[in-house]
Amino acid sequence: MGHKTMKRLPAIAAGILLAGSVNLYLSPESSEVYFRLGAEALARSSGGRSGGGSFRSAPSRSSGSSRPSGSSRPSSSGSSFSRPSRPSGSNPSWEYRPYQQPGGSYNRNPVIVPVPVGPRVYSPSNSNPANQSGAGYSGSPASTAGENDWIAGLILLGVAGSVVFFLVYLGIRAARNAGGGAVSNELSNDTVTVSKVQVALLAQARYIQTELTKLSLEVDTSTHEGLVQLLQESALALLRSPENWSHVLGSSETVKTLTDAEALFNQLSIAERSKFSVETLTNVGGRISRKAFKPDPDEDPASYIVVTLLVGTAHDQPLFSEIKTADALKAVLEKLASLPSDYLMVFELLWSPQEETDSLTYDELLTEYSAMIQI
């Protein structure tokens, strides 16, 4: 009995190894069972990755980072329109005084200072027609009273207009402060939203690979402006190919601390990068790296291209709910493309295959991206 058991051990071991090398899965569109053996079950495609940023040092969290250098108001001391200072001991009166030369004598050609003359005032002594040509006459009492009423009306109208303008100004300012306060609170607190948008396109959209590769090589991912450009152009590249969309997956989650946001973002990034056999192109934080890749000549023809956008923003609420339709995907991509610059904290673009000679087959899509929904 013991001798027979010893003979069966090699067969049992071989069966266990064979079972461990078999991958089984069901197609969502049929009830057929697929399986692959050995190295074929581990086949993956090349991948590209670009992005950068930080939850700790984002512009929205840095005090004064948005103020450009040299933007302070210039000093009035350098202005050519500075007011001259009054000489010490000068007489502020408007009274005429001739210039007195040293020694007590007066200049025969005195300097004449104009003296302002006030409005003429009516007095009963000027009511005589014979005195109408005098300097004190200012017209009849009726005309003078009419002019005074007209001036008083203008003054009252000006005061009333000023009060109305001031009240309207206060209302507009209060409304702006109420709206700006919410924005300022979102940009200053530690609540962060991490979003993921994943789109599978038909392999006929090969130009997407070329465009994303060129974009990743040209954009400076070490700057915030470069990250904003990378996000906008990536979203626009997908928006230009709605006829090639086949599958989609989206999620947006809000967390209360920067530590949780960083952990969630890294978890999503690692999960996507692990699906690549090799990252043939990376540009993260301004550091570009390229690796050679030799595709399998016996692999099935290319069927799909998968593009993933990972975004960390300062929003206090999720950017969107689940994405299940092409219209919902379009709305989300448009929202990401128009995202305010101050809200973007971290962004990462991933796509596979990166090499145009590489392929992502239907079986690989079902295995590596099984959570995606067909649209």
Side-chain angles (χ1 to χ4, degrees), residues 7-68:
K7 288 184 177 180
R8 293 176 180 175
L9 288 178
I12 295 174
I16 294 175
L17 291 176
L18 180 62
S21 63
V22 176
N23 289 342
L24 299 177
Y25 60 92
L26 293 175
S27 171
E29 299 177 355
S30 66
S31 59
E32 299 181 20
V33 178
Y34 294 84
F35 67 92
R36 291 179 295 176
L37 300 176
E40 187 181 355
L42 301 176
R44 291 186 176 90
S45 301
S46 61
R49 174 176 173 246
S50 61
S54 173
F55 289 105
R56 306 289 180 175
S57 59
S60 59
R61 299 300 198 270
S62 303
S63 59
S65 60
S66 60
R67 180 186 297 275

Side-chain angles (χ1 to χ4, degrees), residues 98-108:
Y99 173 72
Q100 185 177 7
Q101 295 180 350
S105 61
Y106 289 94
N107 187 3
R108 295 184 178 181

Side-chain angles (χ1 to χ4, degrees), residues 92 96 134 193 248:
Y96 163 73
T193 296
V248 67

